[in-house]
Amino acid sequence: MADAAELAFQRLVAANPQAVVVGNGTSEHGSSEQQDADAAELAFQRLVAANPDAVVVSVLGASSDPAAVEETLARRVVNDAAVSTWLESKPEMVGAPLPALTPSGWLSNSSTVQALRAGQLLRLEQAFDDACARSVHTALGGLPEEAWSHHASRQPGFQYAHSNIYCSDASRLASACPAYATACRWFEREGLTWFEAAFGCRGRVVVSASWYREGDYSTPHCDLGDLRRVAFVWHLTGEWDERSGGDLVWCSPHRRFAPSFNTLFLFPVHGASHHFVQPVAAGTPRAHRRLAINGWFCCEDEAWEAAVGSAGLSEA
């Protein structure tokens, strides 16, 4: 894996000289590689602190095929030319400033954590203050198409196509789209504090905005990998015709959720957390955007096992 990643790294950097590439794969080959991963993570943190505008690429998986690793690298570029080019045009502010994001009662309700520990999918309506949610919706809905990066994958067993703005972009969008930046900061700070207190472990957050355009979709997957423990999807779709598809489908037990506004989904990540997004139908009005802010609360294996036990959360 190391040789393949190194070769892919060299190829990718040759094509993207401003990129910073960080290894973040999983390994089954002993503690020495885990120590290498820990060292790489520390180096990454130091490098990003010194280069806040760096392009970040996450290396996922454990393939020995350089071509496969290179494809993964290219697919996981999280801060690419699209948003950078848009920001370089010095755009006017999209949406109004949002000083803070205010959650509803779910954050302090012990039943939320109990349900997650029991392996359940949670659907929380009116998850945040309505005015806050509308502010974030307006901001994301007002971003021009060129600010979004379209991502697609044709991996065996998992395919997807959708557009994103990743959290690495959020800090750079603080002046251009402040409400989105505020929402990201909430998940990174208050959201993370809730996760750490709820499960008794130190963690980190991966967060992005997503937009499923006409024809976009994701096939069934369970989100396992990258130390993900609890997933969140905050639906921020406004006007929507259910004939346009784009439903979030939970596989077992089967449940289907049409795109909605200010609805937060939370679920523990495990081998039975399969879900997918139905394709957005052809002819969906361009003014109707299937929008969400989504991501994961993540935690190292050792800390997670100490917090919840070796069996992890229940696979309801």
Side-chain angles (χ1 to χ4, degrees):
M1 173 60 181
D3 292 341
E6 176 64 21
L7 179 57
F9 165 78
Q10 293 172 358
R11 291 177 179 172
L12 193 69
V13 170
N16 301 273
Q18 302 303 316
V20 175
V21 179
V22 179
N24 191 30
T26 57
S27 170
E28 299 178 356
H29 303 294
S31 60
S32 62
E33 292 197 12
Q34 180 59 51
Q35 291 172 357
D36 289 343
D38 293 341
E41 175 65 17
L42 179 59
F44 163 69
Q45 294 173 358
R46 290 174 176 170
L47 194 60
V48 169
N51 301 275
D53 294 327
V55 176
V56 179
V57 178
S58 177
V59 184
L60 306 176
S63 173
S64 60
D65 179 2
V69 175
E70 184 175 10
E71 179 184 357
T72 301
L73 284 168
R75 189 173 61 246
R76 297 294 302 204
V77 172
V78 299
N79 185 357
D80 64 6
V83 72
S84 297
T85 300
W86 179 66
L87 288 172
E88 287 171 2
S89 70
K90 301 188 184 303
E92 294 184 1
M93 182 186 296
V94 178
L98 178 63
L101 191 62
T102 306
S104 59
W106 66 268
L107 195 68
S108 57
N109 192 332
S110 62
S111 64
T112 301
V113 178
Q114 293 171 1
L116 290 173
R117 285 184 174 271
Q120 298 176 16
L121 166 71
L122 291 179
R123 179 177 184 267
L124 305 168
E125 297 181 342
Q126 299 300 311
F128 293 88
D129 174 78
D130 185 75
C132 294
R134 293 193 181 281
S135 179
V136 180
H137 164 78
T138 298
L140 291 179
L143 286 171
E145 291 191 23
E146 57 265 29
W148 296 81
S149 305
H150 195 259
H151 298 263
S153 174
R154 296 175 59 193
Q155 303 176 55
F158 180 43
Q159 300 82 39
Y160 62 81
H162 47 70
S163 295
N164 295 89
I165 296 177
Y166 284 90
C167 193
S168 58
D169 300 330
S171 60
R172 302 175 62 200
L173 283 163
S175 59
C177 190
Y180 170 59
T182 296
C184 286
R185 283 196 299 270
W186 187 91
F187 283 99
E188 290 178 321
R189 298 174 184 175
E190 289 88 345
L192 179 59
T193 297
W194 166 81
F195 169 78
E196 291 179 336
F199 294 98
C201 62
R202 294 291 301 275
R204 60 183 177 85
V205 177
V206 177
V207 59
S208 73
S210 66
W211 172 21
Y212 281 70
R213 312 186 196 199
E214 180 178 321
D216 284 353
Y217 67 99
S218 69
T219 59
H221 60 286
C222 64
D223 282 3
L224 275 176
D226 304 329
L227 306 176
R228 299 165 181 167
R229 308 305 180 186
V230 173
F232 58 87
V233 186
W234 183 25
H235 278 213
L236 288 164
T237 301
E239 185 176 0
W240 190 260
D241 186 334
E242 290 194 21
R243 294 175 298 179
S244 294
D247 295 352
L248 171 64
V249 180
W250 191 255
C251 294
S252 181
H254 180 269
R255 300 172 69 185
R256 180 179 63 84
F257 306 98
S260 57
F261 175 73
N262 198 12
T263 303
L264 178 68
F265 292 88
L266 295 171
F267 61 87
V269 176
H270 49 60
S273 57
H274 289 90
H275 58 285
F276 63 94
V277 176
Q278 292 181 328
V280 175
T284 297
R286 296 187 69 82
H288 295 183
R289 291 193 180 190
R290 186 196 184 280
L291 298 168
I293 289 180
N294 44 261
W296 303 272
F297 297 109
C298 307
C299 180
E300 296 292 336
D301 288 334
E302 184 176 343
W304 186 245
E305 184 173 326
V308 302
S310 58
L313 300 182
S314 173
E315 297 187 7

